[in-house]
Amino acid sequence: MSHSPDLQPAFRALADPTRRDILRMLGRQPMTIAEVSDRFDITRAAVKKHLVVLSDGGLIEVEARGREKVNSLRPDALRPVLDWLGWFEQFWDTRLDTLKSAIEDIDEERNDEQAIEHKGYDHD
């Protein structure tokens, strides 16, 4: 992990729920600032600030089309974030495997107890 990209700007961009919502919207289709603003109960200036943070994080691309700026999701930019988070998946895998084994052990003990109880009724 010594040569991993600087993920701080991407994590900063992802830290805010409004920006995450904007990313989801842009994942469906590119949108202008006005189109994004229409979907939120915040000022256009606030939306613009969120879009700047997303752009600085490398998560969106902004293309000038005439007087409008169209914002698009850069899904490939999320790959380093997913790779970094994926490294922690091993901890969940280990814990879930341990939990599965514990549940299986409990089920086996219960089945053994039920078999013993059932044998006791057969001999009466």
Side-chain angles (χ1 to χ4, degrees):
M1 289 190 135
S2 60
H3 296 292
S4 63
D6 179 16
L7 297 175
Q8 188 62 30
F11 277 113
R12 178 174 179 251
L14 292 168
D16 184 87
T18 299
R19 290 193 287 269
R20 292 192 302 269
D21 288 343
I22 292 170
L23 281 178
R24 281 189 209 99
M25 290 173 16
L26 295 178
R28 288 186 218 108
Q29 68 183 42
M31 301 175 85
T32 64
I33 295 170
E35 291 170 328
V36 174
S37 295
D38 288 345
R39 310 240 173 128
F40 291 95
D41 192 25
I42 57 177
T43 66
R44 192 179 214 155
V47 168
K48 173 114 175 84
K49 286 180 184 181
H50 284 301
L51 290 168
V52 167
V53 174
L54 289 167
S55 179
D56 289 347
L59 301 179
I60 66 168
E61 179 176 73
V62 183
E63 178 186 345
R65 292 186 191 164
R67 292 178 38 187
E68 295 184 322
K69 292 187 179 183
V70 179
N71 303 277
S72 304
L73 176 67
R74 292 188 57 230
D76 57 308
L78 290 169
R79 176 55 50 200
V81 173
L82 293 172
D83 290 345
W84 189 86
L85 290 171
W87 186 83
F88 293 95
E89 189 173 16
Q90 66 182 322
F91 297 106
W92 283 109
D93 288 346
T94 301
R95 285 180 174 85
L96 290 173
D97 286 344
T98 302
L99 177 61
K100 180 182 177 209
S101 294
I103 291 170
E104 287 171 349
D105 289 347
I106 290 169
D107 285 346
E108 191 174 307
E109 288 174 18
R110 285 185 182 156
N111 289 339
D112 290 346
E113 289 173 4
Q114 288 174 351
I116 291 169
E117 287 176 11
H118 186 67
K119 282 183 182 181
Y121 290 122
D122 288 344
H123 294 332
D124 285 347

